[in-house]
Amino acid sequence: MASKRMNVAKPKYQQIAVDVAAKIADQTFKVGEKIHARSTLANKYSVSPETARKAISVLVDLEIVQAKHGSGFYVHSIENAKHFVDQYQDVQSIQELKEDLIESVEKQKEELSYFSEILDKLVGQTKRFDSLNPLNPVTFTLTEEANHLEMTISELNLWQSTTATLIAIKHGDELLVSPGPYAKLSAGDTIYFVGHESTLQHVQNFFYPTQSIE
């Protein structure tokens, strides 16, 4: 199931302080202009007077507005307002980036888990398919370093030595199916055989006794 991003809300008083600061920054409110009283802010933003008081306190502490005793609150600094809004937006951006990163990591975890599950199923089905299809041919190409070159199938005793049942030999552009006992194996030939799970290793050891399959 895909993860849902958690919506982290900022305190209401902080949102109000930023909104008022933004209006000061864009000079909707001019320096020296009186801004709404706490009760007016409370009504405007549908919050309690205490929440409005906290918002005003933030603006006063940051010297964005100035309190005049008995008179109210007045715009003091557009520069401070811009700085506060920029900082708030930067914090918001960082928070959103963190949330995006966390969401991306969670999605990757889910995708990797799904991929792993599908891979396990594929491996299981492949093993079952192989076990049900013992006649699925395996190919093996002989190089000049191979032992037993230019020997006939009869001379090699291939089945007795490797448990491989030879079903075809590809020599150049020619494919010899069901080769007889007098067919020879040469460098560059590709043999097609069937057998059990360990047969390929036996064939490898038979032609290249000092090597192993990588």
Side-chain angles (χ1 to χ4, degrees), residues 8-23 45 47 51 54-55 58-59 84-85 88 92:
V8 181
K10 298 294 183 183
K12 192 66 179 178
Y13 75 87
Q14 192 175 92
Q15 296 178 41
I16 295 170
V18 171
D19 191 59
V20 174
K23 288 180 170 58
Y45 291 99
V47 296
T51 299
K54 287 182 178 179
V58 169
L59 297 173
F84 175 50
V85 172
Y88 182 83
Q92 287 290 90

Side-chain angles (χ1 to χ4, degrees), residues 140-172:
F140 190 84
T141 301
L142 301 172
T143 66
E144 292 181 355
E145 289 75 25
N147 287 353
H148 313 298
L149 294 178
E150 303 305 324
M151 294 179 65
T152 66
I153 303 301
S154 176
E155 292 170 335
L156 288 173
N157 291 321
L158 191 63
W159 185 85
Q160 292 86 343
S161 301
T162 66
T163 70
T165 300
L166 191 65
I167 60 175
I169 301 172
K170 185 176 183 298
H171 182 76

Side-chain angles (χ1 to χ4, degrees), residues 162-165 193-205:
T162 66
T163 70
T165 300
F193 61 89
V194 294
H196 299 293
E197 194 172 308
S198 60
T199 300
L200 177 59
Q201 182 67 62
H202 293 323
V203 171
Q204 169 76 20
N205 292 339

